[in-house]
Amino acid sequence: NAGVTQTPKFQVLKTGQSMTLQCAQDMNHEYMSWYRQDPGMGLRLIHYSVGAGITDQGEVPNGYNVSRSTTEDFPLRLLSAAPSQTSVYFCATNGGGGGYEQYFGPGTRLTVT
Amino acid sequence: GENVEQHPSTLSVQEGDSAVIKCTYSDSASNYFPWYKQELGKGPQLIIDIRSNVGEKKDQRIAVTLNKTAKHFSLHITETQPEDSAVYFCAASLAYTGNQFYFGTGTSLTVIP
């Protein structure tokens, strides 16, 4: 089992460009989340999903869109990249919501110039 | 929303000594408290967790304690080894409700051989 996979590993964007960060899991988990990690700020929740077709906002959702059409995939879209979105992005899954272990992907390091 | 504070931000210990990392939370409804270890270039990985109906939990050299009244919980690592060097994050969530985890800002632990 691959667990949680994320692509790409690294990405450089110019301000205003759009892109999609991919996340896929083979753990058959209903719950998936996107976090950003910035120095000194820990991990902050961007968006999360509790099942296919159901998404909700986290702490820092502005500038990001998500959708969940299948259990396996949970892509994160940056509509118009800004330098403030330079960060490391992690996707995570868990089996039952807030009280269950989260499994994190390896991350995508994004730089917006 | 929940606010999780974590201290210290950096910690250096001699190999064989103990390390203690402390976290406080603000929402008395939170009832699940995981600890994650993040090695360089990787996603966080769960090392131990505790639920609010338990005061202490141990797993070999790692233990977590929870004081619900004071709203704080701590990670204890005994007989530290160089491979314990990493960044450690605490988190809080409300079990069985949604999928929102709130993370501390991390502690960079260095174990000096």
Side-chain angles (χ1 to χ4, degrees):
Chain A
N1 286 350
V4 183
T5 58
Q6 291 184 238
T7 55
K9 288 182 97 59
F10 302 94
Q11 183 71 48
V12 179
L13 288 179
K14 291 188 181 340
T15 297
Q17 288 184 317
S18 63
M19 79 160 294
T20 300
L21 279 63
Q22 301 290 347
C23 174
Q25 54 110 350
D26 61 2
M27 307 176 79
N28 202 31
H29 284 166
E30 291 294 326
Y31 292 76
M32 298 186 74
S33 303
W34 275 104
Y35 293 88
R36 61 177 289 172
Q37 184 175 35
D38 302 295
M41 301 191 74
L43 291 107
R44 292 182 291 166
L45 183 64
I46 304 171
H47 287 284
Y48 66 96
S49 169
V50 300
I54 307 169
T55 63
D56 206 345
Q57 296 181 353
E59 294 176 78
V60 288
N62 292 342
Y64 307 95
N65 270 2
V66 292
S67 59
R68 182 99 179 270
S69 55
T70 68
T71 299
E72 293 78 20
D73 300 297
F74 190 40
L76 178 71
R77 297 182 189 83
L78 281 70
L79 307 174
S80 177
S84 61
Q85 294 178 304
T86 294
S87 188
V88 181
Y89 291 85
F90 289 99
C91 177
T93 76
N94 58 330
Y100 289 77
E101 176 179 358
Q102 288 192 104
Y103 296 85
F104 285 83
T108 294
R109 183 174 293 275
L110 174 69
T111 302
V112 182
T113 61
Chain B
E2 172 70 279
N3 181 45
V4 177
E5 296 190 355
Q6 183 173 346
H7 300 279
S9 57
T10 60
L11 180 60
S12 291
V13 299
Q14 292 290 135
E15 183 177 357
D17 287 350
S18 296
V20 180
I21 302 170
K22 299 183 178 182
C23 289
T24 61
Y25 61 99
S26 62
D27 189 346
S28 56
S30 291
N31 55 12
Y32 175 68
F33 306 94
W35 285 90
Y36 290 86
K37 176 183 181 182
Q38 185 178 27
E39 295 176 339
L40 200 60
K42 296 185 178 180
Q45 186 171 15
L46 181 77
I47 55 171
I48 196 167
D49 56 11
I50 192 167
R51 299 181 187 275
S52 60
N53 59 347
V54 175
E56 183 176 3
K57 183 175 178 180
K58 283 185 180 179
D59 183 3
Q60 300 183 349
R61 296 185 297 108
I62 293 173
V64 57
T65 58
L66 171 65
N67 183 327
K68 284 191 296 182
T69 303
K71 294 204 283 266
H72 66 70
F73 56 113
S74 299
L75 177 71
H76 304 255
I77 306 174
T78 59
E79 300 172 16
T80 53
Q81 301 167 3
E83 52 265 38
D84 294 328
S85 295
V87 178
Y88 292 81
F89 291 96
C90 62
S93 77
L94 184 59
Y96 316 117
T97 302
N99 199 28
Q100 300 212 44
F101 288 78
Y102 298 88
F103 283 79
T105 49
T107 297
S108 177
L109 173 65
T110 301
V111 179
I112 305 164

